[in-house]
Amino acid sequence: MLLCGPSGSGKSLLAAHSGLPVLRLDDFYKEGTDPTLPLVAGSSDIDWDHPGSWDADAAVAAITELCRSGRTHVPVYDISLSARTGEDAVDIGRTPVFLAEGIFAAEIVARCRELGVLADALCLSRGPLTTFRRRFLRDLREGRKSVPFLLRRGWRLMRQERTIIARQTALGAHACDRDEAMGRLAAAAGRRPTARTTRTAV
C-alpha cells in the first residue's frame, strides 16, 4: 500500500494506527550537499517538496526487496540536518501487505504496478488550512528547519495544496479522507494470498 498526500496531512499518524508494517519513504531524501537538489523558483531555498529532492530508485528497490524477501536495509535520515545518519534493517516477516508512506509515494505508483507489487495507492487530504496548521506545529516541535523557512514553505504549500493533490491523483493515487483510508487499509490487510499469488504487496 502506497500512502501519499501533502506534507502535514496526517500520513505518519494514520500509518501508526493502521496495524501494518510501515516503510518511511522520507528516509530516501537526498542529502543537503547533493548538487542535483532542486531550488524553489526565485529563491535560494532547497525545494524539499519537489520529487527531484528524493531518491525514487532507492525507494523502489527497497519496496521490491521487502515484497520478495520480507526484509531490506534503508537509510536513516535526519530532516533537521538534511543528511543520512546511518542505516536500519526493516523486517516485515510474512505479512501479505505493508504500508509505504511519504509525500512522494505517488511518484512510484506506476513503477510498483508494473513490478506487480502494488495493492493500492491512497492520497490523504484534510484541507489546506488544517494541513498548514498541522505541518507548521509538527515541524516547529521537531525543529526540522528554521522558523522563517517553515513559514515560507508552509505558505507556499498551502497555496499549492489542491495542485499537489491533483498531481498525485493523476499519478494513480486515490484521494480520500482519514476514515476512507483506514477502511481501504483494513480491507487490504484482510486479504489473503492465494495459492498462485503469495508475494507480499505494498
Side-chain angles (χ1 to χ4, degrees):
M1 300 283 291
L2 292 173
L3 178 64
C4 63
S7 175
S9 58
K11 298 180 297 297
S12 297
L13 184 61
L14 187 148
H17 287 90
S18 70
L20 297 174
V22 177
L23 176 66
R24 284 174 33 87
L25 296 179
D26 285 355
D27 283 328
F28 294 94
Y29 266 116
K30 296 177 182 178
E31 297 197 90
T33 55
D34 192 313
T36 67
L37 284 169
L39 299 179
V40 175
S43 168
S44 61
D45 288 343
I46 294 173
D47 190 350
W48 295 108
D49 300 285
H50 189 287
S53 67
W54 186 67
D55 191 343
D57 290 340
V60 170
I63 287 171
T64 303
E65 189 171 8
L66 277 176
C67 289
R68 291 175 177 167
S69 71
R71 57 181 64 87
T72 192
H73 285 83
V74 299
V76 176
Y77 194 92
D78 188 323
I79 291 178
S80 66
L81 300 175
S82 303
R84 296 178 179 183
T85 58
E87 188 178 77
D88 197 11
V90 177
D91 190 331
I92 63 171
R94 297 177 62 82
T95 181
V97 179
F98 69 95
L99 183 61
E101 65 91 5
I103 63 172
F104 300 123
E107 303 295 324
I108 57 175
V109 169
R111 292 173 66 177
C112 288
R113 182 178 292 118
E114 289 168 2
L115 290 166
V117 298
L118 183 66
D120 201 355
L122 307 177
C123 174
L124 192 61
S125 173
R126 292 190 172 213
L129 288 175
T130 299
T131 303
F132 172 87
R133 183 176 65 253
R134 287 175 52 87
R135 177 176 53 241
F136 181 73
L137 292 176
R138 177 204 65 194
D139 292 352
L140 192 63
R141 182 176 64 251
E142 297 179 3
R144 293 190 171 195
K145 303 292 180 186
S146 69
V147 172
F149 179 92
L150 295 179
L151 288 172
R152 290 195 302 271
R153 177 180 182 245
W155 175 246
R156 184 178 73 253
L157 291 180
M158 185 174 69
R159 289 180 297 161
Q160 295 176 350
E161 180 154 330
R162 289 183 175 84
T163 301
I164 291 170
I165 292 171
R167 171 180 170 80
Q168 294 181 346
T169 55
L171 288 169
H174 171 73
C176 57
D177 60 17
R178 183 183 184 279
D179 290 342
E180 183 180 356
M182 287 297 290
R184 291 175 73 118
L185 290 173
R191 296 173 189 157
R192 292 293 181 267
T194 65
R196 292 188 303 168
T197 308
T198 57
R199 181 187 297 183
T200 298
V202 63

